[in-house]
Amino acid sequence: MGAVHILNGDALLERFPDAISGDLLVCRECLIDGPLQGRNPETFFANRMAYLDAAYEDPGADFYLEAVLPQFELMMNIPEQSEVYFWFEADLFCQYNFWFCVSLMESSSNCSYYLVLPPEPHQYGYSGLSNAELQEAVENAVPLSALLMASLDELWKATRKGDRKKALTLATMVSIAVPSLKQLPQHLEAYYKEDHLKLLANLIAENPEGEFGPIFRAFCQQAPEYGFGDLLLRKYFDELSRNL
C-alpha cells in the first residue's frame, strides 16, 4: 500500500511539499487542554467537542464534527500495510496529539510507522524548514517499532488516567528510544509542576499594561517546548489575569 502522512495541523498541510507522495490526514485537536475521559470513542469525542465548544469561541462544535472527527475516523481505518508517517514536533502540545494518534492505530494492520521530527534547532516548529528540508526530514524519519508503538500507546493511556508517575517513566523510555525527544521527560515534569503558569504569571506581572501580544511572544521565545498557540495561551492569560 501507499504512504499516509498524519500532520500536526493545517499550517503544515498548507505548505506540504507536492514532491512527497501519499495521502494527507490532519490532527486538529488540542489534547493537552481539557478532559480526556470517555468509556468509548464516541463518549470521548463528545466530551472533547463539548469542552472545546465551551472553552473557545472559535471554531465551534460544527468545526469539530466537520473537520476534526472525520480525520480521526480515517486514522482508525488506514489500509493495511500502509507506511504511516507521524509529522509531530518535539513540543508538548504536539506530543500529546501524537500519542493520541498512535493510540488510534490498529495493531494488527501490518503497517509500518515512522515519526518525522524537524531537526534541531527547529525541533519545535516545521515553519523553520524549507520544502527541501521537509523532504529531507521524511527521508530521515524515525522508524517506530512495535515495542515503541506499544510504549507510546501506554503513555497515552497513562496520560488519560492522570497517572503522572507512569507517564514520566514511559516518557523516559521513549526519550531513550528516540534521541530527538531526549528532553521529553524534563518538559513533561515541568508541565506537571505548572511551570508554564508560573512563567506566564511572571510575564503578566512584568507587563502591567496587560497587552497579550507582547506577553505571548515572550512566552513562546522563553518556553517553546510547550508549543502553546495563541488560543490556548490566551485562555491561560485570561484566567491568570482575573486572579492577579
Side-chain angles (χ1 to χ4, degrees):
M1 297 299 293
V4 178
H5 300 275
I6 300 178
L7 310 185
N8 70 332
D10 287 300
L12 181 58
L13 176 66
E14 291 170 0
R15 60 184 300 262
F16 199 78
D18 293 334
I20 300 177
S21 62
D23 296 328
L24 305 182
L25 300 176
V26 184
C27 177
R28 298 186 174 103
E29 251 284 9
C30 177
L31 290 157
I32 200 170
D33 181 40
L36 300 177
Q37 291 75 35
R39 61 183 179 275
N40 53 48
E42 292 77 16
T43 305
F44 173 82
F45 288 125
N47 290 342
R48 292 297 305 168
M49 182 172 64
Y51 171 78
L52 294 172
D53 189 41
Y56 300 94
E57 292 183 7
D58 292 318
D62 289 342
F63 179 82
Y64 202 94
L65 287 171
E66 296 169 5
V68 179
L69 189 54
Q71 295 291 294
F72 289 140
E73 290 172 342
L74 289 171
M75 291 180 203
M76 289 186 281
N77 292 281
I78 290 174
E80 290 193 4
Q81 300 183 345
S82 295
E83 292 187 342
V84 182
Y85 294 85
F86 297 98
W87 292 72
F88 290 87
E89 298 152 5
D91 60 82
L92 288 180
F93 184 103
C94 265
Q95 285 298 300
Y96 268 60
N97 288 349
F98 167 49
W99 307 336
F100 173 67
C101 290
V102 166
S103 77
L104 299 180
M105 300 298 106
E106 174 54 60
S107 59
S108 62
S109 63
N110 295 316
C111 290
S112 300
Y113 300 101
Y114 304 86
L115 174 60
V116 185
L117 281 163
E120 296 183 7
H122 305 290
Q123 67 268 33
Y124 303 126
Y126 293 109
S127 59
L129 304 185
S130 65
N131 274 13
E133 288 171 326
L134 288 172
Q135 290 178 243
E136 185 177 351
V138 76
E139 292 167 3
N140 294 322
V142 179
L144 301 176
S145 66
L147 178 60
L148 185 50
M149 287 289 288
S151 295
L152 289 163
D153 183 49
E154 287 299 315
L155 176 51
W156 173 248
K157 290 177 181 176
T159 299
R160 282 193 65 189
K161 293 177 181 177
D163 189 341
R164 294 181 172 184
K165 183 178 180 180
K166 184 175 182 180
L168 284 170
T169 298
L170 289 162
T172 300
M173 293 171 59
V174 170
S175 72
I176 294 171
V178 185
S180 297
L181 295 176
K182 59 182 178 293
Q183 292 183 298
L184 176 61
Q186 173 188 338
H187 295 160
L188 191 59
E189 186 172 16
Y191 176 68
Y192 289 158
K193 293 179 179 178
E194 298 189 342
D195 285 2
H196 57 297
L197 297 181
K198 298 171 188 174
L199 172 59
L200 183 56
N202 288 337
L203 290 172
I204 293 172
E206 293 168 3
N207 292 269
E209 66 278 2
E211 293 184 15
F212 175 70
I215 292 174
F216 173 69
R217 290 188 291 273
F219 183 95
C220 293
Q221 184 177 16
Q222 294 183 39
E225 65 271 16
Y226 293 111
F228 295 160
D230 57 344
L231 289 178
L232 178 54
L233 200 67
R234 180 77 202 213
K235 176 174 171 285
Y236 290 144
F237 173 84
D238 290 341
E239 291 171 353
L240 286 174
S241 297
R242 286 194 295 267
N243 296 323
L244 291 177

